[in-house]
Amino acid sequence: FFERRHNHTSTEEEHFRSPMAEKAMESEKLPVIPNLPEECHVQRVVDFQDEENVKRFVRPNRWISLNIGTFKLVRVNWVVFLMATVVLWAFIIGTLTSPYDANGRNEALKQFSDIWQVWITANFTWLYIATQDAWIVFVVYMAVSKYGDLKLGKKNEKPVISDVSWFAMLFTCGVAVGFYALGVSEPITYYRPGDYYGNLRKSGFETDDQRAQQAIFITLYHWGFHAWGCYIVAALLLAFVAYRWDMPLTLRSAFYPMVGDVVHGILGDFIDALSMVCTTFGVCTSLGLGVNVVIAGLHRMDCGSGIEAECVRNQVPNVGNSDEYRNWAVGIILIITVFATGSVMLGLDRGLKNMALCAFGLGNLLLVSLVMLDNKWFLFNSFVQSMGHYFQWVVQVGFETDTWPLLNLEFDRSNGNELWDQQFGERNLINKVEAATGTPMDNPVEHFGSHEPTWMHWWTIFYWGWWISWVPFVGMFIARISRGRTIRQVVIGGLLAPIGYTFFFMVVLGSLGIKMQRTAELALHETVTVDMTGPDCSKMGYEGGQPDSEAAKGLARAGYYALSCRASDERLYDAMEPYGSGIRLYLQLLCVIGVTLYFITSSDSGSYVDDTLSAGGLLEPPQLQRVYWCLTEGMCAVGLFWGGGDQALKALRAVSVCMGLPLTFVLCFMCASLLRAAKHDLGEPGIRNATRFITGLWDFTEGWQPLGVNSPVLPSVPERISSLVTALFAPFLGIHSMHMRLFSPAFAAASSLAMAVPFVIWIGCMIGELGTPNASFIGWAFFICFVIHLTAIRVMARHAYNVYGWFVEDFAACLFMYPFVVSQMDLQAKRVEVVIPPGTDPNRDLNKELDLAREEYYSSTTRGGYASRDLRPTSEDSDTPPVQKQAFAVPMTMHQSMSPPFFGGTMVPPFPPVGMQGMPMQPGMPMQGMPMQGSM
């Protein structure tokens, strides 16, 4: 199939035409997905290390191949390469050259953390929360349904990577750096949030024990199913199209089931470039977390104590806003970049896999050492209890959007009102109310006892944005190492195995941190009631994050700290202190080496993915390209740290959240694409017997001349442009031709008028906003009415033309691309006759189908020694089934007839007659389900 599909090289159009598309063109019926899975399944495995195989999926004018003698210099899709390069290096240069404000903050990075992150949280929290839940439900459905048996590869293909190596690589590429950076610090932040976040209540608590359990639960919530669901969606789809349908392992291939060959054009180039940018920024966030952990660990080992005033040496600076710290951070990033470059140049098997196994082994050694050194029974109790709390609360908290705390953004000036439609003029509630009363409003957090609205965007939404920004990287990486496994195996392995291990790791570190905090509070005599947000650090003898009183210093020398009063980067190493100086140094060294190795694996994995995407899916690109992408990734991290100073991590978090927003829509698209691909691959009649519209919504990306589609009914470019212009400015005129296909002339005119009214009102209200405040919002309400009407017409058109789809897809298309939808309907109606007239009885062919099925059944049963008695309807062609007599097939040796109890007909039982309660029929016994003689 691969050879037949791609050996046509005379023109670009033949180059991308599939056999199914060619057959469909001959029959004037376009397939829903233009390929033949049956032929893919028997095709030999395509080697995408071979440049020629990759080039068949790249437009000829996009590919650059340069050599110096026999040395391979460059193999890239120059459009993807240029898009990603321009965006990333513009960010690097812009950050390094941006001025600083009066507070010493980088103006460029401040835009992300102070404006864009807050804006996204205020307006799209509902989207982040709802989609994360939806993706979990979707991957579980794919695993437990019939699609779970589909193999991500050929029918008899076996996994190349062992289960242990697969799990280690899965774990290290996904979340590992965060364990060290946040394993102790995050639960402490929830347990003793202080005044910054207020009294955080998610699962709720009445005692401090329950507050501690809530802290562990929220940590697990952020690192649990929701973290991995988005990765699994991308991994399943990428592996499916790459290994079952022999396509390159690139993000654009994931959209092939939805948009067809259009994905090989500029649309696919944009998708791959966006994925590279998101991957780079996501990895930079991990680099930012990791470099602080490394510097804090080196400083602790150099100092020899957690008390700064008692440092033996002070050659390594502590994490902070000093030039020395910044120099060390940049130096470590550059060193890591060098090691990552060496690892990625060795390739997946020799470099990445071995590095991942080493990092995984060191992490296990640290985990087991901590369990054995401390109260292991307490840790086991905490793990079991935390698992129960997680499953008890994950559904409720999984849908929690902080509705009421986020409402406080409207009531409080200090947090900034970035609500899309509530911040200007008459829509600004604070200005309006305070002008009416003449007094300022109360602080809503204090008045209502809420926690700070900033908690959501600095924690949950940051995590969701961070996970999503890693989707191109981790999804591709999981797909790359999952070949030969079934969908069910990847879902179970990708969800349960990493999450079980993650939970144990996080519970151990978090429980030890909370244990240390409680020890310090008891020893330093500080009581924290359930109504308090945290202890008073000054009363506990802490000043500026350091033990200051003799009691606090003595406790610190014994290895115990009030972690809520310590800097977040210190807390991991504080938790290693209680076990003696020698053991402390051993544990801290394990942490530094472990996080460094995870640091390297994250960096080289991200560079490997960027390199593969820029090379169109070439699995072994030239070494020089790998060096380039490692360097670019490292320089992005350098730009963020050098330009951001002590605000660098805050900027990194903000960038992750911002990058996650566009990818959220991409992932929703991926879910529909995966389900469609699975249905098509299994040959389900609903999709195989259907077709698609003669024009596509994304054809404009190909200049309205999509390759791979050549039908006599396809409209010309001028026709398409004319139709699109009409649809943009007067959609009610463009859609009228479809109305005429679907309805009577009178009803068609009424439907077009009904569509014109809300559209015209929408435009009028948008203009009226200039003189009447809030008029535009009334206009948007009418626009939604217009969209709903258009969606209904598109659903009816799909049924009339037997076009495959789903009403949710229709609504999304009408909402975001209404001119293209209207133009599509217009051209379809003008050039193609309706296949199924509206109002047609869906059961019109039922009798014919039953007759065929009955004939096949009787022919097979007669050959098996069975006879049949057939009482047919009075008319073979009748659309309305008449009252039919019963017909059964019986063995020739059994009872041949019975007295007819119904309608005077003859009934022949299909099996030996069965009496009441399933007993064999005896003479004189009534048949089960039949009235006895003399009964009503």
Side-chain angles (χ1 to χ4, degrees):
F1 161 63
F2 188 81
E3 293 170 354
R4 287 207 290 122
R5 177 177 180 182
H6 296 293
N7 279 343
H8 301 288
T9 57
S10 58
T11 66
E12 281 193 61
E13 189 164 334
E14 291 177 337
H15 188 69
F16 283 92
R17 189 179 302 164
S18 66
M20 180 175 280
E22 292 172 355
K23 295 176 182 178
M25 291 169 197
E26 296 171 3
S27 64
E28 297 187 2
K29 175 187 173 183
L30 296 174
V32 177
I33 301 176
N35 76 344
L36 289 172
E38 293 83 2
E39 294 190 4
C40 295
H41 298 164
V42 297
Q43 165 69 27
R44 297 186 65 182
V45 175
V46 178
D47 182 12
F48 283 106
Q49 295 183 17
D50 184 348
E51 178 185 348
E52 294 303 315
N53 288 334
V54 174
K55 287 167 63 177
R56 294 182 177 118
F57 291 89
V58 180
R59 297 288 192 254
N61 60 359
R62 304 277 211 282
W63 188 256
I64 294 179
S65 179
L66 297 177
N67 295 334
I68 297 179
T70 59
F71 180 74
K72 294 181 179 179
L73 188 66
V74 173
R75 299 289 188 276
V76 294
N77 178 330
W78 70 267
V79 177
V80 176
F81 181 90
L82 186 62
M83 283 182 180
T85 295
V86 167
V87 172
L88 291 174
W89 281 97
F91 177 83
I92 294 168
I93 296 170
T95 302
L96 292 176
T97 59
S98 176
Y100 293 82
D101 65 10
N103 297 320
R105 299 181 61 193
N106 188 286
E107 290 284 357
L109 296 179
K110 192 168 70 171
Q111 294 292 317
F112 285 99
S113 58
D114 288 7
I115 297 178
W116 289 108
Q117 183 181 6
V118 177
W119 181 83
I120 288 173
T121 305
N123 295 286
F124 292 104
T125 292
W126 62 273
L127 179 66
Y128 275 86
I129 297 297
T131 51
Q132 289 282 351
D133 295 324
W135 298 332
I136 291 294
V137 173
F138 176 75
V139 296
V140 170
Y141 166 74
M142 292 299 295
V144 301
S145 68
K146 60 183 177 182
Y147 309 118
D149 294 323
L150 291 173
K151 181 168 288 188
L152 305 177
K154 305 298 181 181
K155 182 178 180 181
N156 298 318
E157 194 167 359
K158 303 294 188 297
V160 176
I161 299 176
S162 69
D163 291 343
V164 174
S165 297
W166 182 71
F167 172 67
M169 296 171 76
L170 219 119
F171 173 72
T172 54
C173 78
V175 295
V177 170
F179 283 6
Y180 295 88
L182 298 165
V184 175
S185 184
E186 185 177 351
I188 286 295
T189 302
Y190 304 147
Y191 180 54
R192 296 289 187 253
D195 294 334
Y196 187 71
Y197 292 125
N199 208 342
L200 182 66
R201 293 179 183 267
K202 288 292 182 177
S203 59
F205 57 85
E206 296 179 357
T207 67
D208 200 73
D209 292 342
Q210 293 172 341
R211 189 206 293 252
Q213 192 59 58
Q214 175 189 257
I216 298 290
F217 160 72
I218 298 174
T219 303
L220 299 186
Y221 165 56
H222 288 153
W223 292 81
F225 289 128
H226 293 79
W228 285 88
C230 53
Y231 295 162
I232 302 301
V233 169
L236 291 178
L237 178 55
L238 289 168
F240 193 98
V241 296
Y243 304 143
R244 289 186 72 84
W245 293 358
D246 299 310
M247 298 186 70
L249 188 60
T250 60
L251 260 291
R252 71 173 70 205
S253 298
F255 296 86
Y256 179 78
M258 294 294 288
V259 300
D261 288 320
V262 171
V263 82
H264 299 303
I266 192 66
L267 175 63
D269 295 337
F270 175 77
I271 292 170
D272 283 346
L274 174 66
S275 302
M276 293 170 66
V277 171
C278 292
T279 293
T280 302
F281 285 131
V283 171
C284 282
T285 304
S286 289
L287 296 181
L289 292 170
V291 75
N292 280 349
V293 175
V294 171
I295 290 178
L298 292 175
H299 173 76
R300 179 64 64 91
M301 290 188 293
D302 178 56
C303 175
S305 171
I307 306 173
E308 289 293 318
E310 299 180 0
C311 279
V312 178
R313 295 174 303 275
N314 200 9
Q315 296 178 354
V316 181
N318 204 352
V319 176
N321 192 28
S322 65
D323 290 339
E324 191 179 7
Y325 155 73
R326 226 165 26 171
N327 293 337
W328 270 82
V330 170
I332 289 174
I333 289 173
L334 293 177
I335 292 172
I336 294 297
T337 300
V338 171
F339 279 101
T341 302
S343 175
V344 79
M345 289 179 70
L346 290 174
L348 182 66
D349 292 329
R350 291 185 298 165
L352 297 178
K353 185 171 74 173
N354 292 333
M355 191 73 72
L357 288 172
C358 290
F360 184 62
L362 283 176
N364 287 335
L365 182 58
L366 173 66
L367 181 62
V368 174
S369 297
L370 288 172
V371 171
M372 300 306 295
L373 285 166
D374 212 286
N375 182 347
K376 57 189 69 62
W377 317 119
F378 155 68
L379 295 176
F380 292 151
N381 286 339
S382 181
F383 175 71
V384 173
Q385 180 170 301
S386 298
M387 292 295 290
H389 275 257
Y390 177 78
F391 288 109
Q392 177 184 357
W393 291 102
V394 68
V395 174
Q396 176 180 320
V397 177
F399 284 89
E400 192 163 321
T401 60
D402 266 11
T403 301
W404 307 112
L406 286 178
L407 177 63
N408 293 338
L409 291 173
E410 281 196 79
F411 304 146
D412 187 3
R413 295 183 189 277
S414 62
N415 287 316
N417 183 358
E418 294 296 337
L419 292 169
W420 196 345
D421 57 345
Q422 304 289 329
Q423 55 181 316
F424 303 113
E426 292 291 326
R427 303 288 293 179
N428 191 306
L429 184 147
I430 302 176
N431 293 341
K432 191 174 182 179
V433 170
E434 290 184 351
T437 62
T439 58
M441 298 176 68
D442 290 345
N443 183 299
V445 173
E446 297 175 359
H447 189 97
F448 299 113
S450 307
H451 62 260
E452 288 288 340
T454 53
W455 184 89
M456 178 59 79
H457 73 243
W458 283 121
W459 287 103
T460 301
I461 299 303
F462 156 67
Y463 270 118
W464 290 180
W466 189 21
W467 302 142
I468 295 169
S469 69
W470 272 50
V471 160
F473 155 43
V474 180
M476 276 190 64
F477 197 80
I478 294 176
R480 177 75 173 83
I481 64 178
S482 298
R483 182 162 194 159
R485 301 180 187 273
T486 65
I487 287 178
R488 185 172 295 112
Q489 288 171 338
V490 173
V491 171
I492 293 175
L495 283 181
L496 298 185
I499 289 173
Y501 182 81
T502 298
F503 280 6
F504 190 64
F505 211 120
M506 298 300 278
V507 167
V508 168
L509 292 180
S511 299
L512 290 177
I514 293 176
K515 176 185 175 182
M516 180 172 286
Q517 175 68 27
R518 286 187 152 197
T519 301
E521 290 176 8
L522 291 171
L524 299 174
H525 313 295
E526 175 66 8
T527 301
V528 180
T529 66
V530 293
D531 295 324
M532 297 171 62
T533 58
D536 186 334
C537 292
S538 61
K539 291 181 179 180
M540 295 185 72
Y542 276 78
E543 188 68 34
Q546 291 293 318
D548 189 53
S549 68
E550 288 303 318
K553 287 181 179 179
L555 189 63
R557 295 187 192 104
Y560 293 93
Y561 297 82
L563 295 184
S564 63
C565 301
R566 300 279 282 170
S568 61
D569 302 299
E570 299 282 351
R571 292 169 178 170
L572 172 67
Y573 299 102
D574 289 342
M576 311 295 159
E577 292 276 345
Y579 312 111
S581 58
I583 299 299
R584 175 193 68 196
L585 183 62
Y586 158 75
L587 294 175
Q588 291 170 351
L589 187 62
L590 280 182
C591 287
V592 171
I593 297 175
V595 77
T596 301
L597 290 179
Y598 279 132
F599 204 166
I600 295 172
T601 58
S602 296
S603 179
D604 59 13
S605 300
S607 302
Y608 177 83
V609 168
D610 282 349
D611 194 15
T612 302
L613 288 172
S614 68
L618 187 65
L619 294 182
E620 294 295 335
Q623 301 280 22
L624 186 63
Q625 290 176 211
R626 300 182 183 187
V627 174
Y628 172 79
W629 289 114
C630 279
L631 176 64
T632 300
E633 189 178 275
M635 288 306 298
C636 276
V638 167
L640 283 163
F641 265 88
W642 191 263
D646 64 341
Q647 298 293 318
L649 193 56
K650 186 177 180 181
L652 286 166
R653 290 187 172 204
V655 170
S656 292
V657 172
C658 295
M659 290 295 102
L661 182 60
L663 282 179
T664 298
F665 295 99
V666 168
L667 273 163
C668 293
F669 208 80
M670 281 183 166
C671 291
S673 188
L674 176 58
L675 185 59
R676 181 174 291 201
K679 290 176 177 289
H680 180 67
D681 195 276
L682 285 179
E684 294 187 9
I687 190 169
R688 285 293 187 92
N689 297 337
T691 184
R692 66 179 190 266
F693 291 116
I694 61 172
T695 61
L697 299 180
W698 297 96
D699 288 353
F700 73 94
T701 62
E702 296 284 87
W704 290 285
Q705 291 181 307
L707 300 180
V709 179
N710 183 19
S711 173
V713 298
L714 195 65
S716 64
V717 174
E719 287 179 280
R720 299 200 64 173
I721 295 176
S722 174
S723 175
L724 184 62
V725 171
T726 302
L728 177 63
F729 296 104
F732 45 88
L733 298 180
I735 201 69
H736 185 69
S737 55
M738 181 57 73
H739 288 160
M740 293 297 293
R741 289 285 191 187
L742 299 177
F743 311 124
S744 66
F747 197 87
S751 184
S752 298
L753 179 62
M755 185 170 287
V757 170
F759 183 82
V760 172
I761 293 176
W762 171 51
I763 299 298
C765 289
M766 297 303 290
I767 298 172
E769 179 72 22
L770 298 174
T772 305
N774 297 329
S776 61
F777 296 98
I778 300 298
W780 283 113
F782 278 93
F783 175 76
I784 296 300
C785 295
F786 164 79
V787 168
I788 293 173
H789 190 164
L790 182 58
T791 301
I793 297 301
R794 193 170 196 257
V795 170
M796 296 177 67
R798 281 197 300 100
H799 292 165
Y801 286 96
N802 193 30
V803 172
Y804 185 80
W806 190 34
F807 77 94
V808 175
E809 299 170 13
D810 296 324
F811 179 78
C814 295
L815 181 64
F816 296 110
M817 304 178 71
Y818 85 83
F820 298 95
V821 172
V822 171
S823 177
Q824 185 184 61
M825 299 296 97
D826 176 36
L827 297 171
Q828 182 81 16
K830 288 178 178 177
R831 290 187 161 266
V832 183
E833 295 287 338
V834 168
V835 177
I836 306 172
T840 302
D841 182 3
N843 295 318
R844 64 191 183 283
D845 296 324
L846 179 60
N847 285 332
K848 294 180 181 179
E849 294 172 0
L850 291 174
D851 288 344
L852 290 174
R854 184 172 61 249
E855 293 298 335
E856 292 177 3
Y857 173 70
Y858 288 160
S859 62
S860 63
T861 54
T862 301
R863 288 193 298 270
Y866 283 76
S868 64
R869 298 207 176 184
D870 182 10
L871 295 176
R872 297 181 178 274
T874 56
S875 172
E876 290 286 340
D877 299 324
S878 173
D879 287 337
T880 303
V883 176
Q884 299 183 32
K885 301 177 182 179
Q886 304 295 323
F888 299 92
V890 316
M892 296 291 291
T893 57
M894 295 182 181
H895 304 279
Q896 297 298 309
S897 65
M898 285 186 61
S899 298
F902 301 116
F903 309 115
T906 301
M907 176 180 288
V908 182
F911 303 105
V914 179
M916 304 299 291
Q917 305 300 324
M919 299 173 58
M921 182 67 180
Q922 301 295 330
M925 290 182 63
M927 289 191 67
Q928 186 174 3
M930 299 176 61
M932 297 177 62
Q933 187 175 3
S935 65
M936 294 291 294

